[in-house]
Structures are given as C-alpha cells and as structure tokens.
Amino acid sequence: MKQFSYYTSFYRISLVGVYLFALIGLTACSDWFDTSPKTDLTAEKLFSTESGFESSLVGIYLLMTNQSAYGGNMTFGLLDQLAQEYDYIPDGANDRAAIYNYETTTSGGFRTKQRIAQAWIKLYNVIANCNNLLKWLDKKGDEVIRNANIRNTYRAEALAIRAYCHFDLLRAWGPWKYGIDATAPNTLSLPYRTVADKEKLPLLPAKDIIIHILNDLKTAKELLATEKALRLEDSDRRYRFNYHAVNAMMARVYCFANDAPNAIACAKDVIAHCGLELSSTNLDDPALFAESLCALNMYHMSDALSAHWADGDKYTSQYFIRSERFDSYFEVSGSKREDMRTKSSAFYEHSATKMALSRKYNTNAKEAIPLIRLPEMYYIMCEMSTDLTQAAKYLNTVRNKRGYSKSLNEKFSTDADRLTALSKEFRKEFYAEGQYWFFLKRHGITTLAYDSQITLSKERFVFPLPDAEKEYGWTASQNAQNASQTNP
C-alpha cells in the first residue's frame, strides 16, 4: 500500500485507517475487524467505486471510536477524570490533583501529558481522513457517484466531522471563559486544517476557528437539506451526522460563542423537527440512545471497554464513584430518588463496598457513544434566553422528564441562580460523556460542590500544545516572514 500521510505540525498522520476498510464495502460491522487490507491498494483504486467512498467514510467514524478520541479520552475518559467525576486513581498515583500535571510524563500515574498528545494527534488523524475524502470527492465524486444526493451526504458528513473535531480541539486547547473573557476570542489556539497535506499551518485566533467551524457546518446543513423532514426515532442516520445533528452542533457552537439568537433558533428547530422526544425512563437504555441526535457505534462495546466499565464486587481499574460522592454529585438525599439518572437502571451499586458504576457503556444494546443528545438543546435555550422565567421552563422540561415533580421546579431570580441550576443539571445529564468539563471551562467554574479538595484554574483548563507541535509547528519567525511578504 502506498501510504498517504501528512503532519499537523510534523505529527505523522497516517491515513491507513481509511484504507483498512477499502475492500470491505458495505459488509456487516463484524467483518470490519476480520479483514486485512491489501497492501497494494491505492487511493486511486479505493475511490474508483461508490462502495470505496462509503468504506472510507465508515473508516472515519471507526477512527473516532479510538480510545484516544471519542472511545475514551474525549468523552468518558480523560475529560471526566479532569472534572473529578470518578474516585478511580490509577496505579502509581496517590493524589487526584496529579492529573492536572500537563508538563511531565509521569503525572503521578495519570499519564496526562501523553493522553493529551494522543488525543491531539488522533483528532487531527480523523480530520486528515475527512480532508482526503473531500479531496477525492472533488476529483472523482461526480464520475463515480452518480446520485447527487449520496455525493452531497458524503461531503456533508465529512465536513461535519471535520467541524466537530476542530471544535473539541478548540474547547480543549483553546481559551477558557469564551464569551466572558474579552481576550479569549483573539487567543491563538490551533490550526484549522482543510487540506490533506504536510504543510505547517499557523495557530489561528479562537474566533477565526469558530468562523471556520460554522462555515463547514452551514455547508453541511445545506447539503443535507433533503433530510429536513427526516424523523430520527427509527432511523439509523442517528449513527451518522444527519441534518438534525448538524443543526444541533450549530446550536452548541453558537452557544459557545454567546450568539443567543442563532443558538436558540437552531435548538428550537432541532426540537421541533428531529422526531425525538425526551425520555422518562432509561431502563435498558442508560446511555439514552433514544435521545441521541448523533452517536458512534462501537463494535463489541462491553468487551472493548470492560477495563473501565465491567461490573463486579470490587473495582480496580474501573471508573467507579463512591457512594458519598455519588450522593453529592447527583443530589441524592436518603433513599428517595426521583431522578431516573440515579436509579439502578443507570448505575450498578454495591452496598458492601459503597461504590457505584455507570451502566452507560455496559448495558448498551445499541453500542452507542453519544456525541450530541436532545436535552442539550433545552439547556442551550435555558442558558441563552433573556427571560429568566422562560429559561427555567426549558430546564424544568428536562427535569420533569427525568422524574422531578413540578413542585420541585427550579426558579431563577438572577443569572447566578440560572448558572448554578444549569451546572447541576448538566453534570447529572452528561455524566461519563465528557461534556461537563467543557461546561466548567466555558463558565470559569473553579470550585466543585462535590469535591472540596480540588480547585480548578485557567492553567488547569487550558491544555498545552503537545511538544512536537511546539518544536516543529508554526513559529513566530514564520508569522514575521508572512507579514513582510504581505506588507513589502
């Protein structure tokens, strides 16, 4: 196989993940792991058939399930450990605060520096594959894929994935308190890669990254316009970036950028037209796939993630939470539990060891890793609404579905009240999904009600660039050279 590769600032980004699935076409997912690639398969041959394009796109989704990306660190793994959602401490560690040691390779057993670097390279790996697929769509798409709707769908999904990964890179490596701190928009953050090549690119200001992300999402949304009437409740399109998922992603980005009118408009559109409804039970569906606008499929999930999520009498490597922290985190008082997110349908609980373990990645018949779910649209409207009474109604809509009676509805008299209530609901709703860390960072929340021993800070929220990016990436001298060429 002639391997195509590029560097994001000289990180080797192999596209073997795309080619691995080239000969498999549209076979069952069980075959994806049993087939070896032909070493002489070239990109030209791969993209000579429609099934080759489809296989490439499937390969991209599978790359996203890697444990360094959304099959671990960028969802339930590193991000939720940073938010102190678990009591698990790895071998060699005796201090949970050691996880915030981003500059040394030891990190007190947490290996945070390595995990950050691995997440960076894996997300840019996914982006590289998206860009390569887009390149071949430009080159051979019209010739090979005769159905314009299919061509548009492939292009839209590649653009949406590219935007999704760049946005999480921005949220992780970019500035904290975006929309609050006046300096945040101009903070140099990361390169936005749109071409599959090895050229070094400059770190762009956060506001420019957002513009690129929204441009990709707007184009994807236009290309998927035929799905406006798609109802997702019984559709496998939930495993792909469909029209409603792209719209929901736009709501998330607009909310991040503090663009209330657009955030609310997109969120309302999703709720009104996606065909999904908020669930009142999580029995047999603790990850709430029924509410997922977009999710990744992880083949043999329970086996693949057993090191973290297998139930047992004793927890060693698993992401368990002790009963005391569980009660504080989920606001449990005594034996009365209105909230379905705290019940046995959501957690394994062992009274002898006083530990609990989420069922999201164990009792998961759909083998789904949620990327974006419906309740976030209500939270976005709650946060963005100028009317505090209406904002509370949006939040209470989710709370009532989760089991809280209307007599326990939240009421806001100040913006601080709203943020406090929203923070509590966000952490309960997205436990073990990675989203709460980003919520804390965006709002600059440094104290954790459920963990008085940990204090967060700007330094802990902003991931440093990996060493290779610092050493081989875009330099200040290149900025100066570009400036002199622009202004001779």
Side-chain angles (χ1 to χ4, degrees), residues 82 100 437 440 445-448 454-458 460-461:
L82 290 167
Y100 305 108
W437 173 252
L440 293 170
I445 298 173
T446 57
T447 59
L448 303 173
I454 296 292
T455 299
L456 300 176
S457 63
K458 178 179 180 179
R460 289 183 170 183
F461 276 125

Side-chain angles (χ1 to χ4, degrees), residues 403-416:
Y404 290 102
S405 66
K406 291 184 178 181
S407 64
L408 298 174
N409 277 357
E410 295 280 4
K411 296 179 181 179
F412 310 143
S413 58
T414 66
D415 286 332

Side-chain angles (χ1 to χ4, degrees), residues 287-388:
L288 290 175
F289 179 73
E291 296 178 351
S292 292
L293 297 154
C294 184
L296 298 174
N297 178 252
M298 176 177 277
Y299 180 62
H300 282 183
M301 173 181 279
S302 59
D303 293 335
L305 300 180
S306 61
H308 302 306
W309 299 108
D311 183 41
D313 293 335
K314 297 180 180 179
Y315 298 130
T316 53
S317 61
Q318 292 95 330
Y319 290 139
F320 64 87
I321 182 171
R322 297 190 187 280
S323 297
E324 183 179 356
R325 184 191 296 267
F326 178 91
D327 290 349
S328 176
Y329 193 99
F330 287 98
E331 299 183 293
V332 173
S333 178
S335 60
K336 186 178 181 181
R337 298 187 182 183
E338 296 91 350
D339 195 332
M340 74 182 196
R341 295 167 295 195
T342 69
K343 296 183 178 181
S344 60
S345 55
F347 279 86
Y348 297 105
E349 294 185 74
H350 295 279
S351 57
T353 56
K354 295 184 178 180
M355 296 179 181
L357 189 75
S358 174
R359 291 178 178 265
K360 284 187 176 181
Y361 304 102
N362 189 307
T363 311
N364 191 324
K366 300 294 186 180
E367 298 186 314
I369 300 171
L371 295 182
I372 191 161
R373 292 195 291 109
L374 186 62
E376 187 176 347
M377 299 300 102
Y378 290 89
Y379 296 157
I380 287 171
M381 292 193 297
C382 171
E383 182 175 342
M384 295 284 99
S385 178
T386 57
D387 183 334
L388 289 178

Side-chain angles (χ1 to χ4, degrees), residues 42-56:
T42 64
E44 188 76 35
K45 184 175 181 180
L46 171 66
F47 294 110
S48 65
T49 65
E50 184 174 322
S51 62
F53 278 95
E54 169 68 14
S55 295
S56 297

